[in-house]
Amino acid sequence: MRSDRARHFIDLSRHDGDHLRHLLDLAGRLKSGAPPGRPLRGRCLAMIFRKSSTRTRVSTEVGMAQLGGHALMIADRDSQMGRGESVRDTARVLSRYVDAILIRTFAHDEVVELAREATVPVINGLTDLLHPCQVMADLLTAMEEFGGDLRRLRVAWIGDGNNMAHSWLNAAAQLGFSLRLACPSGYGPDPEILAHARAASDVELCPSPSEAAEDALVVATDVWASMGQENEQRARGKAFAGYRVDEGVMARAHPSGIFLHCLPAHRGEEVSAGVIDGPRSRVYREAENRLHVIKAILLDLIGHAPRG
Ligand code: CP
Ligand code: NVA
């Protein structure tokens, strides 16, 4: 795979394991103490949000501030992009103002085009296809729990074969951990992303959540209908009925196994309240780790580049 190292952070499959481990180590160090000085002083990040966000937006804005830089929000409702200005023109103009661009949008191709046209680094803050920053935060959470050797990790993904599942698959491929997925029929992951991960690591589709969760150190899930799929809510509710992470599923996991969810969550749908609010849940630490991870990504992308 071609490496986007030091240029963009869009797709975990474009970063080799060493680079991902470096980012995770850096995030861990940033969590234990602020870096000296203000390493991103004078630097600006544009944050384009074409979908809603709480964690991604706030962690990125706070992360930039903590590193001495500035982040500015560009929402569809009050930007020309929202009125149809092209990705190309947006990329070329923003590149003349800011040092990096984070974008959350629907079509993954839009991020790829933005990165192609921009002359500054681009960070994927979630697309319909991938959510790489979130899975990095999930990996940091797992490392805190089980130690730094990620090859020993055993992850179960229960539910939709969506952007989160795809980034888990890419992470498994690059970092060499074991991943079991249980997805309802018709809602499995992208076949190409799955095939790539299966060729690189111990990745299997399982017929049921319980089988996927067997001996897992991490059991992870996500909403049944992602942003943009609101009109599928009813059909998905039926298809996903047997795919709730509940106490029965968690009982199959390793005795030390933890539960992760990127949030926002729907208690009583994809996860029982007892699990997400129970002793094995690490969802708030996982959310906190978004901050440490995005700071590491920002430092890596724009911390050392010459200005001007
Ligand atoms: N997990 C996550 O990306 O949350 P937000 O949608 O609030 O950014
Ligand atoms: N799969 C969810 C993740 C939200 C953080 C979505 O895309 O809406």
Side-chain angles (χ1 to χ4, degrees), residues 195-239:
H196 170 71
R198 288 183 76 162
S201 197
D202 174 27
V203 171
E204 291 300 338
L205 284 181
C206 295
S208 72
S210 297
E211 282 160 274
E214 193 68 47
D215 210 28
L217 289 171
V218 171
V219 178
T221 191
D222 190 7
V223 290
W224 291 343
S226 286
M227 288 181 276
Q229 297 171 335
E230 289 78 5
N231 60 1
E232 296 175 32
Q233 188 86 46
R234 188 186 287 264
R236 283 171 169 266
K238 278 190 191 150

Side-chain angles (χ1 to χ4, degrees), residues 47-51 53 56-57 73-76 102 104:
M47 303 187 299
I48 301 172
F49 278 92
R50 315 199 74 180
K51 287 178 173 177
S53 170
T56 305
R57 184 206 167 159
M73 172 75 173
I74 304 173
D76 252 16
L102 176 139
R104 166 170 290 197

Side-chain angles (χ1 to χ4, degrees), residues 138 156-160 162 164 168 219-224 243-245 259-263 270-271 286:
D138 296 11
W157 176 262
I158 315 289
D160 198 11
N162 63 8
M164 282 295 298
W168 271 114
V219 178
T221 191
D222 190 7
V223 290
W224 291 343
Y243 286 76
R244 175 173 305 130
V245 178
F259 171 76
L260 296 181
H261 189 310
C262 61
L263 303 179
E270 74 274 8
V271 59
E286 178 188 7

Side-chain angles (χ1 to χ4, degrees), residues 1-290:
M1 277 277 165
R2 188 170 65 77
S3 174
D4 282 345
R5 181 171 186 165
R7 175 135 171 77
H8 303 296
F9 194 82
I10 293 174
D11 177 341
L12 297 180
S13 74
R14 299 298 184 106
H15 300 263
D16 60 33
D18 283 346
H19 188 218
L20 297 179
R21 276 186 291 274
H22 160 74
L23 289 172
L24 291 165
D25 287 345
L26 179 57
R29 279 185 273 128
L30 289 166
K31 187 171 182 175
S32 4
R38 291 156 61 81
L40 296 188
R41 192 155 70 101
R43 297 197 180 271
C44 287
L45 172 78
M47 303 187 299
I48 301 172
F49 278 92
R50 315 199 74 180
K51 287 178 173 177
S52 303
S53 170
T54 297
R55 281 144 288 269
T56 305
R57 184 206 167 159
V58 176
S59 63
T60 305
E61 195 165 333
V62 169
M64 275 302 280
Q66 289 182 355
L67 294 170
H70 179 70
L72 51 126
M73 172 75 173
I74 304 173
D76 252 16
R77 74 179 166 278
D78 50 26
S79 74
Q80 297 292 6
M81 214 180 169
R83 295 179 60 243
E85 185 168 13
S86 70
V87 172
R88 181 175 190 252
D89 286 352
T90 304
R92 292 187 175 199
V93 170
L94 288 181
S95 295
R96 289 170 179 256
Y97 300 139
V98 300
D99 299 282
I101 304 168
L102 176 139
I103 178 167
R104 166 170 290 197
T105 191
F106 294 85
H108 189 74
D109 285 352
E110 198 172 292
V111 180
V112 173
E113 187 184 355
L114 189 79
R116 193 172 60 236
E117 299 295 341
T119 55
V120 297
V122 169
I123 300 170
N124 179 0
L126 179 148
T127 63
D128 290 345
L129 190 71
L130 301 174
H131 197 3
C133 297
Q134 179 66 54
V135 167
M136 289 293 280
D138 296 11
L139 289 167
L140 179 61
T141 312
M143 283 168 70
E144 290 172 341
E145 201 76 31
F146 305 113
D149 185 359
L150 286 169
R151 287 166 308 179
R152 295 170 57 182
L153 201 58
R154 200 178 155 86
V155 178
W157 176 262
I158 315 289
D160 198 11
N162 63 8
N163 44 12
M164 282 295 298
H166 294 152
S167 286
W168 271 114
L169 283 162
N170 287 337
Q174 304 310 89
L175 292 161
F177 58 83
S178 150
L179 178 62
R180 300 280 177 270
L181 302 99
C183 310
S185 168
Y187 295 95
D190 176 87
E192 227 176 276
I193 296 176
L194 177 65
H196 170 71
R198 288 183 76 162
S201 197
D202 174 27
V203 171
E204 291 300 338
L205 284 181
C206 295
S208 72
S210 297
E211 282 160 274
E214 193 68 47
D215 210 28
L217 289 171
V218 171
V219 178
T221 191
D222 190 7
V223 290
W224 291 343
S226 286
M227 288 181 276
Q229 297 171 335
E230 289 78 5
N231 60 1
E232 296 175 32
Q233 188 86 46
R234 188 186 287 264
R236 283 171 169 266
K238 278 190 191 150
F240 284 72
Y243 286 76
R244 175 173 305 130
V245 178
D246 58 15
E247 287 76 352
V249 172
M250 288 307 293
R252 299 290 290 269
H254 188 280
S256 313
I258 60 170
F259 171 76
L260 296 181
H261 189 310
C262 61
L263 303 179
H266 297 140
R267 287 166 174 78
E269 288 186 26
E270 74 274 8
V271 59
S272 69
V275 168
I276 193 169
D277 299 319
R280 303 175 81 172
S281 174
R282 297 290 181 274
V283 296
Y284 300 124
R285 178 184 292 190
E286 178 188 7
E288 180 193 328
N289 284 340
R290 292 294 307 273

